[in-house]
Amino acid sequence: MHFATAASTTGGKFFTMIFALVAFAAVVGVILFVASLVERRGRKGVAWLFLAPTFVLLLVGLVYPAGRTILRSLYDAAGTSFIGLQNYTTIFGSSEQLVVLRNTVLWVLVTPFIATAVGLLYAILVDGARGESFAKALIFLPMAISFVGASIIWKFVYEYREHLENLLPGQQQINQIGLLNQVIVWLGGTPQQFLIDSPWNTFFLIVVMIWIQAGFAMTILSASIKAIPSEIVEAARLDGTSAVEMFRFITLPSIRPSVVVVLTTIAIGGLKVFDIIRTMTGGSFGTSVVANEFYTQSFSAGNQGLGSALAVLLFVLVIPIVVYNVRQLRASEGR
C-alpha cells in the first residue's frame, strides 16, 4: 500500500517535471517563431519579445506580492479590519519591536565594517606572500558553508554547561563541551552563557556573519589590489612612501569602488539575516531582528498585519543601500 502510494507520488512528480519542461520549450518555441516573423517583416522590437516573459514573471512573482503585502500591512492580524498605519505605529512604539530595530541597526553597522576590515587586512598581509593561495583558501572556506551549518558550528562553540562548584578540580573541564567555555575554564575562569545576556548576545551572533563574510571581502578586495597598476606602486616606493602612506594614498583610493560594493553587499546581508538568528536563538533573549520577527509574527503568532508591515519595512530599508550601490558603480564606470 505504502509502496503504491510512493510510486504514484513519484510518478506524479515526474509527470509534473516533464510537463513543465514541455511547457517551457513550447513558450520558447512560440517566442522564436513570432520573433522570426517580426524580423522578416523588417520590424523592430524583437528584443521585447524575449523580455516579455521576464516582465510577466516580475509582475507575478514580485510586483503583485509586494502590492499585496503593502495592502495587507494596513489590516489587523486577522486581515478583516482596516486599521491604517497602526501596525507601523506598533513597530516604532512597542518596546519589544524597538529592541528588534536596535538589533537590526547593530547588524547593519557592525557586520559590514568589521568583515570588510578583516578581509582587507588579510588581503594586504598575504598579497605576494609564500603560500598565498593556501592562506586565502583557509579564510574563504566558511563561504562554502551555509548560514545554518555555520550557525550550528558556532552554537557548539558557545555551548554552555553549568559550572558545578562541588566538582573536584579538573572536572569542570570535562563538564564543558563548548570550545570557548572550555578555553575559559582552562584559563581558570567561569563558563559564560554567551547567547543569553542582551545586548552582548547579538554581538556574539554577529561574529558568525563576520566569520562567513570575511572570505568574500578578502576575495573581492584582493583582486582589486592586484589590479592596481604596478607603475603607480613602483613610483610610490621610489618616492620613499611608507607602508601606511601606501595604504592611505595609493591602495585605498584605488580599490574604493570595490570597498563600497563589499560594504553594501554585506550590509544588505546583515539587514536580511534570518538563518543565524533562527538556528542559534530562535529570536529569544532579545536577539530578534526584522527578518526573523517578520517570520515569527506571520507564521508563529498569526499576526499577518504586523508581519506584512515588518516585511514592508525591510524592503524600504534595503532600497537606499541598493540605490547607493548602483550610483557608486555608475560613478566608477564614468557614467
Side-chain angles (χ1 to χ4, degrees):
M1 185 68 178
H2 295 290
F3 177 77
T5 303
S8 61
T9 304
T10 303
K13 292 180 179 179
F14 182 75
F15 176 77
T16 303
M17 181 186 69
I18 296 298
F19 177 78
L21 292 175
V22 172
F24 175 77
V27 171
V28 174
V30 169
I31 294 175
L32 292 175
F33 176 74
V34 175
S36 63
L37 293 179
V38 173
E39 188 177 7
R40 288 177 184 176
R41 295 182 180 181
R43 297 180 180 178
K44 298 181 179 180
V46 177
W48 288 103
L49 291 173
F50 293 95
L51 292 175
T54 303
F55 284 119
V56 172
L57 291 175
L58 284 175
L59 288 174
V60 175
L62 182 62
V63 177
Y64 174 73
R68 288 284 298 175
T69 302
I70 294 173
L71 182 63
R72 187 68 186 80
S73 68
L74 303 177
Y75 284 78
D76 62 357
T80 55
S81 301
F82 181 82
I83 59 175
L85 301 177
Q86 185 174 332
N87 287 319
Y88 296 95
T89 304
T90 301
I91 294 175
F92 294 99
S94 170
S95 59
E96 294 181 358
Q97 298 302 322
L98 288 177
V99 171
V100 171
L101 295 178
R102 180 205 66 188
N103 293 338
T104 304
V105 171
L106 289 177
W107 277 88
V108 174
L109 293 181
V110 176
T111 307
F113 287 101
I114 295 184
T116 303
V118 172
L120 179 58
L121 178 63
Y122 202 84
I124 293 175
L125 291 178
V126 303
D127 184 38
R130 181 180 298 179
E132 177 182 354
S133 300
F134 178 75
K136 289 182 177 179
L138 288 179
I139 197 172
F140 187 78
L141 274 178
M143 284 291 296
I145 306 175
S146 67
F147 281 165
V148 174
S151 301
I152 293 174
I153 292 173
W154 279 89
K155 193 171 184 179
F156 279 111
V157 172
Y158 293 143
E159 185 65 32
Y160 166 83
R161 284 188 176 181
E162 186 177 359
H163 185 74
L164 303 178
E165 299 294 342
N166 295 328
L167 292 178
L168 297 175
Q171 288 186 338
Q172 289 87 352
Q173 299 180 6
I174 301 175
N175 192 49
Q176 298 301 318
I177 62 173
L179 176 62
L180 191 53
N181 272 321
Q182 183 63 74
V183 173
I184 292 176
V185 170
W186 280 340
L187 296 176
T190 303
Q192 304 294 321
Q193 300 188 56
F194 296 101
L195 300 180
I196 290 183
D197 297 330
S198 179
W200 303 109
N201 48 8
T202 297
F203 291 101
F204 287 116
L205 294 176
I206 289 175
V207 169
V208 182
M209 187 76 160
I210 294 173
W211 182 65
I212 297 174
Q213 295 294 339
F216 164 74
M218 181 270 300
T219 303
I220 302 299
L221 298 178
S222 178
S224 299
I225 291 174
K226 290 184 178 300
I228 299 176
S230 57
E231 294 82 4
I232 298 178
V233 177
E234 292 297 330
R237 288 176 178 173
L238 290 175
D239 288 340
T241 305
S242 65
V244 175
E245 292 174 337
M246 177 74 73
F247 172 78
R248 180 180 177 183
F249 298 109
I250 304 297
T251 304
L252 193 57
S254 300
I255 65 173
R256 183 178 179 276
S258 298
V259 173
V260 171
V261 170
V262 172
L263 282 173
T264 52
T265 302
I266 299 178
I268 293 174
L271 191 61
K272 301 185 300 179
V273 65
F274 170 79
D275 314 62
I276 297 174
I277 304 295
R278 202 70 193 173
T279 303
M280 299 188 70
T281 63
S284 303
F285 314 115
T287 59
S288 187
V289 293
V290 172
N292 181 75
E293 192 67 16
F294 149 68
Y295 176 88
T296 301
Q297 294 295 334
S298 299
F299 301 104
S300 298
N303 193 339
Q304 296 291 329
L306 183 57
S308 298
L310 288 165
V312 173
L313 176 63
L314 185 63
F315 178 73
V316 171
L317 292 176
V318 169
I319 290 178
I321 302 177
V322 175
V323 171
Y324 177 76
N325 199 356
V326 171
R327 287 183 176 179
Q328 291 298 318
L329 287 175
R330 289 182 175 179
S332 64
E333 294 173 358
R335 295 182 181 180

